[in-house]
Amino acid sequence: DWRSDVCSSDLFKPHLTIGRVRRGEKPRAATDKLSGRQDMSFGSFKVTQIKLFKSDLQPGGAVYTVLEKVTFG
């Protein structure tokens, strides 16, 4: 079962990726663009499914594998 492998690993760091900074961009530029927009609405949407992915970093880029999928009514 993938849960015992993942949860017992010291390398496991649960997180939610909201966005990424492109290679060559400075992370500060992204935070500057968001600064002062804490109250800005980006709309709403209905969540019908959540997928838990495993990412394996490879020289050519990350390879993503779906570990679990939950669908909501």
Side-chain angles (χ1 to χ4, degrees), residues 37-53:
R37 299 182 182 184
Q38 293 88 342
D39 296 326
M40 186 176 199
S41 174
F42 294 95
S44 63
F45 56 92
K46 182 178 180 179
V47 176
T48 58
Q49 188 177 77
I50 295 177
K51 293 180 184 177
L52 176 65
F53 286 90

Side-chain angles (χ1 to χ4, degrees), residues 2-3 5 7 15 18-20 24 26 29 33 36-39 41 43-44 46 50-51 57 63-65 68 70:
W2 65 267
R3 289 174 192 87
D5 293 339
C7 295
H15 66 281
I18 302 296
R20 295 186 185 274
K26 294 185 174 149
K33 289 177 186 176
R37 299 182 182 184
Q38 293 88 342
D39 296 326
S41 174
S44 63
K46 182 178 180 179
I50 295 177
K51 293 180 184 177
L57 300 178
V63 174
Y64 299 100
T65 305
E68 197 78 32
V70 178

